[in-house]
Amino acid sequence: MKTAIALALVLLAGPADAQFRSGNKLLAELQSDNIVDRMFAVGYVTGVADAMDQSLYCLQNGMTIGQVSDTIQVALERTPQIRNEPADILIVAILSKHYPCKGRKQS
């Protein structure tokens, strides 16, 4: 029974996407008119921001994930030369630049 359930979950999950998400892809999703694409992008930003070392950036108290996603979107719009990089690296770099921890030097 457990094997059947596990197999069903694997089949329902669909094919794995082994490609890295680029800044171009993330920006396109953040700008999309498709609500599912935008929700996925905001979820991706949330996941990366939560999963990464919070000592690299210090978000302000009371910030919403919408504000964080807006920061990422605006930074990607303004710097097209970085968009080919992996989105997770860009998210951390952008958050580190815009929300440095007080008393820490940022490179």
Side-chain angles (χ1 to χ4, degrees), residues 81-92:
Q81 66 275 14
I82 68 170
R83 290 189 214 147
N84 286 332
E85 299 298 325
D88 58 338
I89 292 171
L90 292 173
I91 290 168
V92 173

Side-chain angles (χ1 to χ4, degrees), residues 6-18:
L7 180 60
L9 290 174
V10 169
L11 293 175
L12 289 174
D17 184 3

Side-chain angles (χ1 to χ4, degrees), residues 55-75:
S55 68
L56 298 173
Y57 48 87
C58 295
L59 299 178
Q60 301 164 356
N61 286 336
M63 281 189 74
T64 67
I65 192 56
Q67 290 170 304
V68 174
S69 295
D70 288 348
T71 299
I72 301 300
Q73 180 175 341
V74 168

Side-chain angles (χ1 to χ4, degrees), residues 43-54 57 59 65 68 91 95:
Y44 185 84
V45 169
T46 303
V48 170
D50 283 345
M52 293 301 179
D53 183 358
Q54 298 288 315
Y57 48 87
L59 299 178
I65 192 56
V68 174
I91 290 168
L95 293 179

